[in-house]
């Protein structure tokens, strides 16, 4: 796979030109970013969060982060969970209200996460390892959104 097939470069619209040349000098970073994406979005052991749910949550953050191209890539993998990709939905109707509330809070108000947020997830039967997985997905998406925005800025586009 070429680095130009990676989600990050595709979402930023990097395929040629000076930014593409700069990206080629950072091949290991782009490859590591793709590996991290694969690990958090489609791990061999997804725990309590199947791949389609992870994709829906990733699309949700990409949409909220103003990256429609990135959101579209994840929406394609959201399957039956696609409704959760809509930041206007709270996830209650889909049975993931507590998960979506935590995910949104972790993404948008990280410093406000408190012990009771974790307790709420545990009360829903979510194991500690799955809470960590959820946080990993959120953290990766924050990173990827910033990289895509930075690449767009390098191209001269508004972020």
């Amino acid at each position: 796979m070429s680095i130009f097939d990676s989600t990050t470069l595709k979402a930023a619209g990097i395929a040629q030109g000076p930014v593409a040349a700069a990206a080629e000098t950072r091949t290991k970073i782009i490859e590591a970013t793709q590996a991290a994406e694969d690990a958090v979005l489609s791990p061999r052991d997804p725990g309590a969060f199947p791949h389609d749910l992870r994709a829906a949550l990733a699309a949700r953050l990409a949409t909220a982060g103003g990256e429609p191209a990135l959101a579209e890539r994840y929406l394609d993998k959201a399957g039956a969970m696609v409704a959760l990709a809509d930041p206007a939905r709270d996830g209650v109707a889909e049975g993931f209200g507590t998960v979506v509330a935590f995910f949104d809070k972790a993404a948008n108000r990280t410093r406000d996460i408190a012990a009771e947020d974790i307790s709420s997830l545990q009360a829903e039967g979510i194991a500690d390892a799955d809470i960590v997985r959820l946080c990993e997905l959120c953290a990766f998406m924050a990173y990827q959104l910033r990289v895509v925005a930075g690449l767009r800025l390098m191209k001269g586009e508004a972020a």
Side-chain angles (χ1 to χ4, degrees):
M1 177 176 121
S2 161
I3 62 169
F4 298 104
D5 295 324
S6 71
T7 301
T8 301
L9 292 184
K10 287 267 189 190
I14 307 297
Q16 58 185 350
V19 179
E24 286 182 310
T25 68
R26 303 290 190 262
T27 298
K28 287 186 179 181
I29 293 171
I30 301 300
E31 290 171 347
T33 298
Q34 186 62 48
E37 176 188 320
D38 294 344
V40 298
L41 277 133
S42 51
R44 282 186 217 133
D45 177 9
F49 305 120
H51 296 169
D52 55 353
L53 174 59
R54 291 165 182 259
L57 293 173
R60 181 181 186 89
L61 279 193
T63 298
E67 288 294 341
L70 186 58
E72 283 297 321
R73 290 185 63 94
Y74 292 130
L75 278 173
D76 287 345
K77 300 174 184 171
M81 301 290 182
V82 72
L84 295 174
D86 181 353
R89 297 182 68 112
D90 63 9
V92 172
E94 294 80 12
F96 291 100
T98 303
V99 170
V100 169
F102 177 80
F103 193 74
D104 286 351
K105 189 173 183 179
N108 300 309
R109 298 181 293 127
T110 309
R111 69 177 178 206
D112 296 333
I113 294 290
E116 52 268 12
D117 295 308
I118 304 300
S119 297
S120 295
L121 291 168
Q122 292 168 327
E124 294 281 325
I126 298 172
D128 291 349
D130 290 318
I131 295 169
V132 171
R133 290 177 177 116
L134 196 58
C135 292
E136 290 171 340
L137 175 59
C138 188
F140 172 77
M141 288 306 300
Y143 161 75
Q144 189 176 49
L145 283 165
R146 284 171 177 79
V147 172
V148 169
L151 290 167
R152 287 188 193 284
L153 285 172
M154 289 174 66
K155 280 179 35 181
E157 294 179 13

